[in-house]
Amino acid sequence: MRYAYAITSALLLGGATATLALQPSAAQQAQNEPGAIQASAPRAGAPMSFADMVAKLQPAVVNISTKQTIVQRQPANPFSGTPFGELFGGMGGQGGAPVKREGQSLGSGFLISPDGYVVTNNHVIAPGAEGATVNSITVTLSNNKEYTAKVIGKDQDSDLALLKIDAAGLPFVKWGDSSRARVGDWVLAIGEPFGLGGTVTAGIISAINRVTGQGGAYDQFIQTDASINQGNSGGPMFDLNGNVIGVNSQIFSQSGGNIGIGFAIPAATAKPIIETFMKGGKITRGYIGVSIGGGVNDDAAAALGIPKNQGELIARVEPNGPAAKGGLRAGDVVTKINGQQVTPDQTLTRLVSNLQPGTTARFEVLRNGQPVSLTVQVATRPSNDQLRALANGGEDSGGFGPNDGQDDGSDDGDGVTQGSTAPLGITVQALTPGIARAIGVDTSVQGVVIATVDQSSDANGKLRRTDVIQAVNGVPVRTAADFARVVAQAKAAGRPQVLLLVQRGRGAPAFLAVKVK
């Protein structure tokens, strides 16, 4: 997935800046006011021209550009301290010193009020690279008049932002009802691709409520084949009545150009967030403190003996978090929240994020194949920086350290499963604090650690030595005997594979399905 906007180190602008002022009418109306363009809208089924419609709507669409300072630390001069040091003294930013350069980003937006409120994507006005700082944001109208914009509100999760320019009597458009959009409906996209100026493309709605797999509360888009390219980000998607039913946001492309798969944030999602910004409010979302291990696909369903595509797996529960206090466990399959089913189109993350902080939610889960009902007190979602700190991601050490296989005094005496009869083709042993430190796993992690992997088994290529198995089919395992018993039970029940909850280093735990030998 790519954001549909452009960022460059240098930008060439052509043409003169016009000075014609927009003249407000005595009783100003939205450009897409009912009756203003309906007579000129193309007839359903066989449009002849969108020209009259575009003439009304295009003045409300704007170009958005930023000026940024990017600070990059250059590698040190490899010839420093050698006879060639003077010759190549300019290499590496003078010995690794930071280098500043100017950058710009380009995107689109649209006016939603005559006094200068502008909707766009958050990524259009965000720093375009690590070490970048946004110095200014400029909004350029269709008459080439430029304004310096102020950020009223922005939200990374929904990828929406609201800007304000100091002007009056501006052309503007209104929100439509995206919930009434249907696959096959005609739509128009207006924006500023590649900084070329106002550009109009037409197409149909290819899908609604499209989940792209990025995760998060807002992974649900309107998909269209109307051409959307870099620079279209933040521009409006119009229905044939001229109403804004989406905010163009992303494209799917291997090259960065349009291939007929573009995505827009539905107006039903965007409008309440923008209205919150306009009222000076902040966006709050529900949070329960879990990591999601994915949906119940074919492998997970076969291992757990449950229907596929119903529910999502909990990979990790934050200690002392809302979910832990409510009784949720790693390995649980959450099937419903407050009666709403968890499906690939209505994900667990989306449902939880839309819960009101401070309320109590009812969770229906499958635990070891049995239904369990739990209640969880919903908290407020931390910032993305705080969540990254909690995740504490990283890679493992690649093998055991000096204490490999040694007893540090805390081993419970459980042995290692023997290779010739080892279930799944792996040998495991109890994870002790000493082994955890040696392999780079947090000492709070519990489970069994893999000692060897049979190269002829299905586990080869999926698992590796030093991986920690925390649970099998949702059942926690703490010793080699636990592990062998649960796998044997799955085999006796006719399960072709088991679902392992695996911790690798300090990264996020993941579910892996492995065939039973």
Side-chain angles (χ1 to χ4, degrees):
M1 299 296 296
R2 297 172 181 263
Y3 287 132
Y5 83 127
I7 182 167
T8 60
S9 296
L11 179 68
L12 296 178
L13 296 176
T17 301
T19 59
L20 178 64
L22 292 168
Q23 298 299 323
S25 61
Q28 189 169 354
Q29 293 182 330
Q31 300 299 106
N32 52 355
E33 191 71 31
I37 63 172
Q38 285 181 339
S40 61
R43 293 181 179 180
M48 297 300 293
S49 174
F50 297 107
D52 291 340
M53 183 178 177
V54 170
K56 281 285 187 179
L57 300 175
Q58 197 162 26
V61 181
V62 302
N63 170 276
I64 297 175
S65 61
T66 69
K67 290 185 178 180
Q68 305 185 15
T69 299
I70 304 172
V71 180
Q72 291 182 320
R73 180 171 292 279
Q74 300 298 304
N77 182 357
F79 299 100
S80 178
T82 72
F84 301 99
E86 292 294 329
L87 182 62
F88 298 101
M91 293 184 59
Q94 296 182 350
V99 173
K100 289 185 179 181
R101 62 184 179 88
E102 298 301 315
Q104 292 187 333
S105 68
L106 292 173
S108 305
F110 55 99
L111 289 151
I112 58 169
S113 71
D115 58 344
Y117 282 99
V118 179
V119 175
T120 188
N121 287 141
N122 176 70
H123 72 259
V124 169
I125 63 167
E130 185 177 354
T133 302
V134 176
N135 300 320
S136 64
I137 303 171
T138 300
V139 170
T140 305
L141 304 187
S142 60
N143 65 354
N144 290 332
K145 191 167 185 178
E146 296 184 353
Y147 295 88
T148 298
K150 178 174 66 174
V151 178
I152 302 300
K154 59 182 180 178
D155 179 49
Q156 183 177 348
D157 291 333
S158 63
D159 193 24
L160 291 166
L162 180 66
L163 309 178
K164 179 70 170 64
I165 60 176
D166 187 13
L170 299 174
F172 68 100
V173 290
K174 300 194 303 184
W175 297 102
D177 185 0
S178 60
S179 67
R180 301 180 63 181
R182 300 186 303 164
V183 174
D185 282 349
W186 281 100
V187 290
L188 290 181
I190 304 181
E192 305 269 338
F194 303 108
L196 293 174
T199 299
V200 183
T201 55
I204 63 169
I205 293 176
S206 305
I208 56 175
N209 300 327
R210 174 67 78 198
V211 175
T212 62
Q214 302 172 88
Y218 301 101
D219 187 14
Q220 206 169 69
F221 297 89
I222 298 173
Q223 182 182 328
T224 182
D225 68 346
S227 294
I228 294 176
N229 290 289
Q230 295 181 31
N232 271 117
S233 273
M237 172 186 283
F238 293 104
D239 63 17
L240 287 196
N241 292 318
N243 294 314
V244 180
I245 61 169
V247 182
N248 299 320
S249 176
Q250 299 178 54
I251 57 176
F252 178 81
S253 173
Q254 293 87 356
S255 64
N258 171 67
I259 61 171
I261 303 177
F263 301 95
I265 303 166
T269 298
K271 182 181 178 182
I273 293 173
I274 295 301
E275 288 179 342
T276 299
F277 290 152
M278 293 183 74
K279 295 175 183 177
K282 294 183 178 180
I283 307 301
T284 58
R285 301 181 178 89
Y287 175 78
I288 60 171
V290 298
S291 296
I292 310 300
V296 181
N297 57 20
D298 290 341
D299 289 339
L304 300 174
I306 60 177
K308 68 176 182 178
N309 295 329
Q310 294 186 22
E312 288 191 58
L313 289 149
I314 300 295
R316 178 182 177 274
V317 178
E318 179 188 329
N320 301 316
K325 292 177 181 178
L328 278 171
R329 302 177 186 171
D332 284 347
V333 179
V334 180
T335 57
K336 291 183 181 180
I337 300 176
N338 286 342
Q340 293 184 282
Q341 287 192 333
V342 178
T343 67
D345 291 333
Q346 186 161 253
T347 62
L348 177 61
T349 301
R350 181 177 178 84
L351 289 174
V352 169
S353 295
N354 289 325
L355 294 173
Q356 186 66 31
T359 61
T360 299
R362 186 178 73 258
F363 284 69
E364 304 295 332
V365 307
L366 289 175
R367 180 175 294 166
N368 301 332
Q370 301 301 313
V372 178
S373 183
L374 303 167
T375 57
V376 177
Q377 186 79 15
V378 182
T380 300
R381 186 181 185 274
S383 68
N384 289 331
D385 289 340
Q386 291 172 318
L387 289 175
R388 279 190 288 268
L390 286 172
N392 193 24
E395 292 298 323
D396 67 349
S397 63
F400 287 101
N403 293 325
D404 182 4
Q406 298 180 23
D407 188 350
D408 69 347
S410 58
D411 195 339
D412 60 4
D414 182 74
V416 180
T417 57
Q418 298 302 308
S420 59
T421 59
L424 311 186
I426 60 176
T427 60
V428 300
Q429 68 183 90
L431 178 67
T432 66
I435 293 176
R437 287 191 293 270
I439 64 175
V441 173
D442 193 281
T443 54
S444 65
V445 173
Q446 294 182 305
V448 293
V449 62
I450 296 177
T452 63
V453 179
D454 186 346
Q455 293 187 354
S456 65
S457 69
D458 182 56
N460 186 43
K462 295 180 178 179
L463 299 169
R464 65 192 191 196
R465 189 171 181 254
T466 74
D467 283 347
V468 176
I469 299 173
Q470 296 180 280
V472 180
N473 286 352
V475 180
V477 292
R478 301 292 178 260
T479 65
D482 289 343
F483 176 75
R485 183 181 67 255
V486 178
V487 174
Q489 290 172 349
K491 187 174 182 179
R495 305 280 171 78
Q497 51 198 355
V498 293
L499 193 66
L500 309 179
L501 179 59
V502 180
Q503 175 76 41
R504 179 168 292 172
R506 294 185 179 272
F511 286 98
L512 292 173
V514 178
K515 293 179 181 178
V516 178
K517 290 184 67 176

